Amino acid sequence: MSPPTAAGSEEIVATLRAAGCVFAEEEAALLVEAATTPEQLDRLVRERVGGVPLEHLLGWAAFHGLRIEVDRGVFVPRRRTELLVAETLTCLDDRARPVVVDLCCGAGAIAAAIAACAPDVEVHAAELDPKAVTCARRNVEPRGGTVHEGDLYAALPTGLAGRVDVLVANAPYVPTGSIAMMPPEARLHEHPVALDGGTDGLDVQRRVVAGAGAWLAPGGRLLIESSRRQAGQLAEEMRAHGLEARIVSDEELNATAVVGALTG
């Protein structure tokens, strides 16, 4: 089938549906909106059929009511991660000028959403992948937050130690052996550092938990996205490091997270 043109929206929908795109109508409308010429539209459709994530083609991902800029090769924010935003906002209570840190921030979706919802919060984000850092700075800093490049806590200013009210992390949690079974959109088009959680999927999360105590303020919270299968083990990791842990979930978002509270 020859590539569709801007005039053939029905043909675009049919092409996308044949390629396995579940939301073919919505995707077609977004691609038509994004293209400035029929030739560009043809290219976008060909690339989508070839497996390039829609968000990479559009240059943005929808997240918590925002358009988060996402460059090619950068981890695409998932809607399920909106659970971390909701839990973070709940944890802030009535604290004056609370401090929130988003570790493994990727394109900065969580930090941007928190900054947009609570402009009185001091928001910091940290990320190891330089390409993702570039995106995060475009998404977070115009909203008043600060993005730091580096590996977990090593990226953060030392002045934040003991001051963080909420430490939130969507750290990678896919076991190394399971990456080959992930959808090609993620496996082939997102940076492995955003996906690979080590042998059991908890390697990076363990590092986050182990270091949290030095950065959390008294009564501070640690929030980490998880799978349902791994949540119990992650909660035990938090308890082993002196945190009171509970598991939260959202059926509509198909999301699970573990919340740890620093007490005493």
Side-chain angles (χ1 to χ4, degrees):
M1 183 177 184
S2 60
T5 65
S9 58
E10 292 183 2
E11 185 179 1
I12 295 173
V13 171
T15 300
L16 295 176
R17 186 177 290 119
C21 298
V22 177
F23 304 104
E25 291 84 358
E26 292 86 343
E27 291 197 14
L30 289 169
L31 292 175
V32 169
E33 178 186 348
T36 57
T37 66
E39 292 75 21
Q40 184 185 21
L41 179 56
D42 290 346
R43 178 179 58 79
L44 291 174
V45 173
R46 285 197 304 269
E47 289 190 284
R48 183 68 185 112
V49 169
V52 178
L54 176 68
E55 294 82 359
H56 287 167
L57 296 175
L58 300 176
W60 57 270
F63 184 84
H64 209 268
L66 304 176
R67 284 192 174 189
I68 300 297
E69 294 187 30
V70 184
D71 292 339
R72 295 194 184 215
V74 174
F75 181 81
V76 175
R78 275 51 162 177
R79 184 166 177 258
R80 62 175 174 266
T81 305
E82 292 180 5
L83 174 61
L84 290 180
V85 177
E87 287 294 322
T88 297
L89 295 173
T90 298
C91 291
L92 295 179
D93 300 322
D94 57 354
R95 301 182 186 216
R97 188 61 175 168
V99 177
V100 173
V101 170
D102 175 13
L103 288 182
C104 305
C105 74
I110 297 172
I114 292 167
C117 291
D120 59 330
V121 175
E122 180 182 342
V123 175
H124 294 265
E127 170 58 44
L128 180 62
D129 175 20
K131 287 188 68 175
V133 169
T134 298
C135 288
R137 287 183 171 144
R138 297 202 306 266
N139 290 313
V140 176
E141 294 184 351
R143 296 179 169 91
T146 305
V147 178
H148 311 278
E149 182 175 349
D151 185 16
L152 298 182
Y153 301 107
L156 300 178
T158 56
L160 289 177
R163 294 184 50 230
V164 180
D165 296 291
V166 181
L167 181 60
V168 57
N170 183 17
Y173 54 90
V174 180
T176 303
S178 299
I179 290 178
M181 295 179 283
M182 293 185 71
E185 289 186 9
R187 176 168 44 86
L188 300 179
H189 297 280
E190 294 178 327
H191 199 301
V193 75
L195 306 173
D196 193 342
T199 302
D200 65 354
L202 297 176
D203 283 3
V204 183
Q205 295 184 341
R206 288 191 184 94
R207 293 176 57 207
V208 172
V209 173
W215 295 88
L216 288 173
R221 300 290 191 271
L222 171 63
L223 284 63
I224 303 180
E225 184 174 304
S226 178
S227 68
R228 292 185 181 182
R229 179 179 58 81
Q230 296 164 311
Q233 188 175 352
L234 178 57
E236 287 304 315
E237 291 285 343
M238 289 191 183
R239 295 183 186 114
H241 285 83
L243 301 173
E244 292 184 356
R246 61 186 176 90
I247 298 170
V248 297
S249 61
D250 185 305
E251 295 298 326
E252 181 181 349
L253 293 175
N254 190 28
T256 301
V258 182
V259 180
L262 182 64
T263 60

